[in-house]
Amino acid sequence: MIRIHILNCGEVGVDPAVPNRGISRNTLAYTGLFRNAARRIWIPVKAFYIEHPQYRILVDTGWDSAVRRQPVSTLTFPLWFTSRPRLPAGTAVDEQLAALGLAPKDLDYVLMTHMDIDHDSGLRLVKDAGKILVSPGEWTAMHSRQVRYARRPWAGIPIGRMPLVRDPDAPFGQSWDVCGDGSITVLLTPGHTQGSVTLRIAGENGFVLIVGDTGYNRDSWEKLNLPGPVYNKKTMKQSLAWVQKMRQNPHCLGVLAAHDPEEKRTVIDIKERKKP
């Protein structure tokens, strides 16, 4: 059995244009600049723990518990301005792993869908994991001067690059078979960021996608609504169209987005494929 634990790691307060840039003609509306702060919305911040028979894998990390005391200095002012953190007691990723009987050192991998602040803020809490990996494209982006990337969450933490290989069946031609048996596959799905990835967890009874921010909610992939923060609109649309196609597959058990308020499940079980 492969079990996906959906960890609700607090919330993020953002402008309504963050999950859907189409609600405003102002292309910078999602930043909150010159916008009424009272109109901000709070959406969930989720990480995902995959309990595999051979591997223990965390996908994204949510907020650092330090945001409870020092949100601005922990995030940087520009990122705090656009993405206000809210992290109730007991909901930091290390606290939730502990509730499952796990320590960070028990994790084989921490796989990052991308390196936006509400996804990588908690890296310090799981720095003792076996390997922390991002896609090669995201590794390049996080070392750039783009204002959306803050180095504070991962300063001094070794972060490697996922060994993506050529795959003609992948939406953008690159993937990584994490376990070597097709049960967990990382697929390049750029657009929200330069190197965003999606995970496909597959088994006997179907598959689940963990899309990170390649879609904020069901409207994102059903209506192809672009989010506010976008690195490349063309590839974002292509990635969303691929997620839409996958969701229409009768074997799809769900699409898990990091900020989807409609997804209420906390656990999804996937039966292992029978070995020949």
Side-chain angles (χ1 to χ4, degrees):
M1 184 74 71
I2 303 171
R3 174 163 287 183
I4 304 172
H5 298 263
I6 303 169
L7 309 179
N8 287 286
C9 302
E11 298 175 298
V12 58
V14 295
D15 189 273
V18 166
N20 180 8
R21 67 166 44 219
I23 68 169
S24 175
R25 294 181 180 180
N26 177 1
T27 58
L28 294 178
Y30 71 92
T31 67
L33 286 171
F34 311 114
R35 302 272 286 178
N36 186 346
R39 295 182 66 246
R40 290 193 178 218
I41 59 174
W42 290 91
I43 55 178
V45 173
K46 301 180 184 184
F48 307 91
Y49 168 57
I50 305 172
E51 191 177 350
H52 184 276
Q54 283 80 47
Y55 294 91
R56 294 171 173 175
I57 299 171
L58 179 68
V59 182
D60 293 340
T61 67
W63 294 119
D64 186 345
S65 51
V67 303
R68 295 170 180 154
R69 306 180 304 276
Q70 300 173 315
V72 178
S73 60
T74 301
L75 306 182
T76 75
F77 178 79
L79 294 176
W80 170 83
F81 182 83
T82 59
S83 304
R84 303 290 172 89
R86 182 186 285 171
L87 185 67
T91 61
V93 69
D94 60 331
E95 296 167 339
Q96 296 200 55
L97 289 173
L100 293 171
L102 293 167
K105 64 180 178 60
D106 297 325
L107 298 171
D108 297 291
Y109 291 110
V110 176
L111 302 180
M112 302 300 298
T113 61
H114 64 295
M115 293 293 280
D116 276 343
I117 192 66
D118 50 343
H119 294 254
D120 70 10
S121 175
L123 276 171
R124 177 186 65 84
L125 306 177
V126 293
K127 60 183 177 60
D128 294 328
K131 291 183 180 180
I132 301 173
L133 303 177
V134 300
S135 75
E138 198 68 3
W139 194 91
T140 298
M142 64 192 261
H143 288 89
S144 70
R145 295 183 178 181
Q146 296 180 54
V147 70
R148 73 188 294 179
Y149 295 103
R151 300 195 177 198
R152 292 179 187 177
W154 49 269
I157 298 175
I159 297 178
R161 282 165 273 195
M162 297 171 179
L164 298 179
V165 298
R166 186 176 178 277
D167 179 357
D169 295 323
F172 285 82
Q174 294 185 51
S175 71
W176 170 36
D177 185 348
V178 179
C179 306
D181 59 3
S183 59
I184 301 176
T185 306
V186 174
L187 300 142
L188 183 65
T189 50
H192 178 65
T193 68
Q194 182 175 334
S196 291
V197 298
T198 289
L199 278 78
R200 182 179 63 217
I201 301 90
E204 191 72 24
N205 57 323
F207 67 91
V208 170
L209 297 181
I210 299 177
V211 300
D213 285 0
T214 302
Y216 274 65
N217 50 52
R218 184 173 57 184
D219 281 352
S220 298
W221 48 85
E222 288 190 354
K223 300 178 181 179
L224 302 183
N225 289 338
L226 295 186
V230 171
Y231 173 75
N232 184 295
K233 290 182 181 180
K234 180 179 178 181
T235 56
M236 184 77 244
K237 289 178 181 178
Q238 291 173 331
S239 291
L240 283 174
W242 177 79
V243 173
Q244 180 188 75
K245 179 181 177 181
M246 292 298 100
R247 187 64 187 96
Q248 293 169 350
N249 187 312
H251 300 292
C252 183
L253 303 174
V255 174
L256 302 179
H259 306 296
D260 186 358
E262 294 183 10
E263 179 58 74
K264 302 300 184 183
R265 288 176 291 182
T266 58
V267 171
I268 300 175
D269 287 332
I270 300 176
K271 296 179 183 178
E272 285 185 89
R273 290 190 177 120
K274 297 178 181 179
K275 296 180 181 179

